[in-house]
Amino acid sequence: MNAPAIRELSYAQAIQEALAQAMDADPRVFLMGEDIGVYGGAFQVTGDLVHRYGEDRVMDTPIAELGAAGVAVGAALAGCRPVFEFQFSDFSALALEQIVNQAAKIRFMLGGKVSVPLVMRFPAGSGTGAAAQHSQSLEAWLAHVPGLKVIQPSTPYDIKGMLLAAIDDPDPVMVFEHKLLYKMKGDVPAEPYRVPIGKAIVRRAGTGISIVATSIMVHRALEAAEILSGEGIDAEVIDLRTLRPIDTATIIASVKKTGRLACVYEGVKTLGMGAEISAMIAESEAFDYLDAPILRLGGAEAPIPYNPVLEKASVPQTEVIVARVRDLLQGRI
Amino acid sequence: MNVQARREADPTNQRPFYRQFQPEALQDALRRMYLIRRFEEGAEDSYMRGLIHGTMHLSIGQEASAVGSCMHLRKTDYITSTHRGHGHCIAKGADPKLMFAEFFGKEEGYCRGRGGSMHIADVESGNLGANGIVAGGIPIAVGAALAIKKQKRDDVAVSFFGDGASNEGAFHEALNMASIWKLPVVFVCENNKYGMSVSTERSMAVEHVADRAAGYRMPGVIVDGNRIEDVSEAVMEATARARAGEGPSLIECKTYRIRGHSKSDRNRYRSKEEIEEWAAKDPIRHFELELIARGILDEAQVDTIRAAAEQEIAEAIDFAREGTDPTPDEVTRDVYTVDLA
Ligand SMILES: Cc1ncc(C[n+]2csc(CCOP(=O)(O)OP(=O)(O)O)c2C)c(N)n1
Ligand SMILES: [Mg+2]
């Protein structure tokens, strides 16, 4: 009996399948991270992979983010394809040296003679009550660094395809996975496939406003768009998917059609994705098509608090997106 | 208290711990161990009943290292703590009511509901913070010790951390600086055999964390972390050394966490037998038996202390549940000392 070609998998299962298929296809691929072995990963993403692939390919590291990240960089330079899991994206702060000064620049500094085929995975975002040091959305930090690619897949289908594309990629790719997405289910083909890095996708076509969103915010923007459609507001929702390199063409085309732009993202509002997209539109031919100010909905200018009410209030929620887009469309902004 | 002088006046060297502390201090130590145990059982229970969210790291089975280390400390001495920090917090003098209020995310909590389990700290009692970042507090303790030295105080800083933390660069860099600058800091490693799921055998090139002290030219002492008197005597010596300007020490308390790493642990990396073996070495029971054997307490008095701790925790939970919720318009409060307009 043939296995079904498309099954429903959770986002976490889709990652695990991509990792397994990458290891099956390429002996150079191996996994590194804290508690990714018998523990199965803090979010049970690697699950039982250690039993299937052994400790040589599913390596528990000591708690030593900077050193371990550097080991991954070195292994990538010398012919391996490491996939490195941070237990929480917040701990990337301990490894920034190797990510920013080394992985991102080695190829450039050595005149293009080498490359660093490294994938790093970052469980990110708030909503789990884990407070200020375990809830951040730091993707914009890394997206600021030429030499890195930064992706934020929002569905089980995309994470599998984009992770496989990331593992194929000759350059370092940083994968931000929102923790609240891990349990989300969706259709995923059983076969390996690739979803290209650097391409946004229109998740919902509309004519009244372009909402550009990332990660979990794509789902909130889609919910908001449904509610708004009941009020006669027809929003187009674009899932950016890749923060670097940004797919400017898809956004420009959409804004030229709708004449309005909102950016919705969980990272701190200031100097984040919204700033970049807004500026990009202001510089582009779409600027003349704008009928309203640009709206940015991002995280509060504060660390993520523990209290659940404050935690929710710190990042865009569906109701807030609805209210602010409505305000924009009704000329109140 | 001049610790050095007291030790010299005790030439018999028979468990100095029981001679140095008055019976009241010893009883108070037992009371604090019970408070920690009941606090964490109460926290666990509140979590199971859905009253609090997030996660938590329980130190059940590790109470002796927290209390034994803090018995020597004054209010003006500092500690830095960890993600597994409830015990350190109570041992340094925090009020369980305000800790529970923090757990429940209330304004009355030590961190006004902003920090939660992983960040509970009573700054007034000298606790510079629990920490969500493994090893994050170790260099901070060294910095506090640097300030103490600059200010010519005879206080000390005690840094608690786990075995896993000793694999972080921050640990090694911090110990080196503490040593070259002869700072008044005591590094207390609570080695509970695992950093989350990874055993020390699998993560450390040496057998003992204390072995690492040699690389930084400071004393490295190993004690039975489930025996409060062993911990306390080692910390006493180290704090005396620190206060006398002789520099840092590293103390490794061999202990064990009875609960899982956090609420999501399935205990796949250790055996039931191992957990049971350590549960039999309960640090609270050990201390009680010692106190009874020495005639410092009888069973009835122990029961009274235990019941009082239970009562205090029950009241603390009631207090926390009645607390005030912060309002969403205050999300950016306290990001800066002077709020940005
Ligand atoms: C820098 C950093 N890396 C990883 C983690 C995730 N984490 C939290 S506690 C922990 C284990 C710490 O082990 P240890 O230092 O031995 O302390 P224990 O939990 O045993 O008390 C890990 C991996 C973290 N919080 N910070
Ligand atoms: Mg440990």
Side-chain angles (χ1 to χ4, degrees):
Chain A
M1 213 176 77
N2 284 342
I6 295 184
R7 306 83 9 102
E8 200 169 70
L9 291 187
S10 72
Y11 191 94
Q13 288 167 330
I15 298 173
Q16 189 182 118
E17 186 165 276
L19 295 172
Q21 289 177 349
M23 287 197 281
D24 289 339
D26 185 346
R28 297 173 301 173
V29 176
F30 73 98
L31 316 182
M32 287 176 76
E34 290 165 13
D35 306 285
I36 66 169
V38 285
Y39 198 93
F43 298 96
Q44 295 302 311
V45 168
T46 46
D48 68 351
L49 288 180
V50 70
H51 302 303
R52 288 154 60 192
Y53 294 90
E55 290 186 3
D56 288 344
R57 295 188 83 187
V58 183
M59 289 179 69
D60 274 333
T61 71
I63 309 172
E65 290 77 10
L66 173 60
V71 170
V73 172
L77 265 177
C80 295
R81 298 246 162 188
V83 181
F84 188 100
E85 175 178 300
F86 280 92
Q87 202 160 84
F88 284 79
S89 68
D90 312 68
F91 312 154
S92 65
L94 285 85
L96 279 182
E97 197 289 297
Q98 285 294 333
I99 301 171
V100 174
N101 293 328
Q102 311 297 342
K105 299 178 173 56
I106 289 179
R107 174 178 172 78
F108 179 83
M109 293 186 299
L110 298 189
K113 302 248 168 65
V114 295
S115 48
V116 182
L118 166 66
V119 175
M120 291 181 149
R121 300 182 31 247
F122 303 88
S126 66
T128 64
Q133 294 173 333
H134 286 72
S135 303
Q136 298 172 89
S137 299
L138 300 173
E139 57 279 349
W141 278 11
L142 297 186
H144 194 66
V145 181
L148 303 178
K149 295 181 182 176
V150 179
I151 63 174
Q152 291 182 276
S154 72
T155 65
Y157 179 90
D158 274 2
I159 185 69
K160 178 174 170 187
M162 293 183 86
L163 189 54
L164 285 170
I167 295 170
D168 288 346
D169 201 290
D171 292 315
V173 181
M174 310 288 117
V175 187
F176 281 81
E177 305 162 357
H178 200 290
K179 283 165 259 171
L180 297 183
L181 291 176
Y182 281 131
K183 293 211 166 96
M184 184 199 168
K185 295 209 159 161
D187 286 346
V188 178
E191 289 300 305
Y193 58 94
R194 270 74 182 163
V195 173
I197 292 170
K199 286 264 169 286
I201 186 171
V202 176
R203 295 274 179 213
R204 181 186 199 281
T207 54
I209 181 169
S210 305
I211 303 179
V212 178
T214 44
S215 192
I216 187 99
M217 292 302 160
V218 172
H219 303 284
R220 293 188 191 155
L222 286 168
E223 269 173 35
E226 273 319 300
I227 296 169
L228 288 163
S229 77
E231 305 175 9
I233 296 171
D234 183 23
E236 175 147 305
V237 176
I238 297 171
D239 179 351
L240 190 58
R241 299 202 288 195
T242 300
L243 209 48
R244 176 182 276 272
I246 288 187
D247 176 1
T248 55
T250 300
I251 304 167
I252 291 171
S254 174
V255 173
K256 281 166 75 175
K257 179 174 69 169
T258 65
R260 292 181 183 83
L261 172 65
C263 303
V264 188
Y265 50 109
E266 178 158 334
V268 171
K269 178 181 165 186
T270 302
L271 291 160
M273 178 275 262
E276 182 53 39
I277 302 292
S278 309
M280 184 275 289
I281 287 298
E283 288 175 339
S284 78
E285 80 241 33
F287 180 68
D288 285 337
Y289 293 76
L290 283 176
D291 296 328
I294 295 171
L295 179 64
R296 281 186 293 161
L297 295 176
E301 307 295 318
I304 300 290
Y306 165 72
N307 175 281
V309 177
L310 294 187
E311 183 183 22
K312 267 195 127 180
S314 297
V315 300
Q317 303 293 335
T318 304
E319 318 80 73
V320 176
I321 304 171
V322 169
R324 299 297 305 281
V325 169
R326 186 193 291 133
D327 284 352
L328 185 78
L329 269 287
Q330 295 175 352
R332 285 198 296 268
I333 289 181
Chain B
M1 174 169 68
N2 187 334
V3 174
Q4 206 63 34
R6 285 195 179 217
R7 289 210 70 170
E8 277 153 20
D10 177 28
T12 58
N13 197 26
Q14 263 186 1
R15 297 274 45 160
F17 175 77
Y18 290 102
R19 292 161 179 264
Q20 276 145 358
F21 289 106
Q22 300 295 318
E24 297 74 39
L26 297 172
Q27 289 167 17
D28 188 60
L30 180 66
R31 184 184 73 86
R32 278 178 206 257
M33 288 172 82
Y34 262 120
L35 272 182
I36 297 170
R37 179 72 55 92
R38 294 291 177 257
F39 178 90
E40 294 201 319
E41 287 170 348
E44 194 172 36
D45 180 63
S46 303
Y47 181 87
M48 298 298 187
R49 290 195 283 140
L51 299 174
I52 44 186
H53 79 155
T55 189
M56 68 186 74
H57 305 90
L58 303 178
S59 66
I60 289 174
Q62 303 185 184
E63 295 87 352
S65 54
V67 175
S69 298
C70 290
M71 286 177 79
H72 308 283
L73 302 185
R74 317 160 176 159
K75 207 169 169 177
T76 50
D77 292 329
Y78 300 113
I79 64 167
T80 63
S81 170
T82 68
H83 58 286
R84 205 173 300 289
H86 309 141
H88 310 143
C89 195
I90 291 175
K92 192 66 171 62
D95 180 346
K97 273 210 315 264
L98 306 185
M99 290 176 67
F100 258 114
E102 186 57 37
F103 240 113
F104 280 71
K106 305 294 186 183
E107 284 287 348
E108 291 81 359
Y110 273 120
C111 317
R112 305 186 53 247
R114 271 55 170 187
S117 163
M118 236 183 313
H119 304 286
I120 298 179
D122 172 21
V123 179
E124 294 264 291
S125 72
N127 185 345
L128 295 178
N131 213 309
I133 300 299
V134 168
I138 308 176
I140 294 175
V142 174
L146 177 65
I148 289 170
K149 187 169 180 180
K150 282 180 180 292
Q151 294 157 4
K152 303 196 183 344
R153 293 153 57 187
D154 72 343
D155 294 325
V156 297
V158 172
S159 181
F160 290 103
F161 56 95
D163 46 286
S166 79
N167 294 318
E168 285 279 14
F171 163 87
H172 295 272
E173 297 175 26
L175 262 70
N176 187 50
M177 284 184 277
S179 183
I180 59 173
W181 295 327
K182 277 202 169 206
L183 298 178
V185 53
V186 180
F187 301 101
V188 177
C189 178
E190 297 175 301
N191 180 349
N192 55 15
K193 297 183 65 150
Y194 298 92
M196 209 156 148
S197 68
V198 182
S199 66
T200 52
E201 288 83 14
R202 293 180 61 221
S203 62
M204 280 171 36
V206 289
E207 188 181 351
H208 307 290
V209 175
D211 295 343
R212 295 181 150 165
Y216 306 104
R217 233 213 263 220
M218 69 177 75
V221 182
I222 298 173
V223 298
D224 181 339
N226 282 23
R227 295 167 59 96
I228 188 170
E229 60 273 48
D230 293 18
V231 174
S232 176
E233 285 169 13
V235 173
M236 173 168 294
E237 203 161 307
T239 51
R241 200 177 121 79
R243 288 190 213 281
E246 290 161 25
S249 311
L250 170 61
I251 294 163
E252 176 179 5
C253 304
K254 301 279 192 191
T255 183
Y256 198 78
R257 69 167 152 69
I258 298 299
R259 292 295 194 272
H261 166 73
S262 69
K263 298 319 292 175
S264 60
D265 191 346
R266 304 172 190 194
N267 278 321
R268 286 180 183 148
Y269 51 88
R270 58 182 190 173
S271 67
K272 235 173 94 187
E273 292 71 40
E274 184 181 273
I275 300 172
E276 279 162 11
E277 185 193 317
W278 278 90
K281 297 189 242 186
D282 182 64
I284 298 185
R285 191 63 195 146
H286 162 78
F287 190 30
E288 274 173 10
L289 292 176
E290 285 286 334
L291 291 174
I292 292 167
R294 289 163 194 276
I296 297 168
L297 285 177
D298 60 28
E299 281 282 4
Q301 288 169 303
V302 168
D303 289 346
T304 308
I305 290 174
R306 188 189 303 125
E310 252 152 54
Q311 176 74 13
E312 184 170 347
I313 295 303
E315 285 168 13
I317 294 175
D318 288 343
F319 171 84
R321 293 187 71 171
E322 303 283 297
T324 323
D325 280 312
T327 55
D329 56 337
E330 291 215 320
V331 159
T332 57
R333 181 175 163 170
D334 288 325
V335 178
Y336 295 97
T337 309
V338 179
D339 278 351
L340 304 182

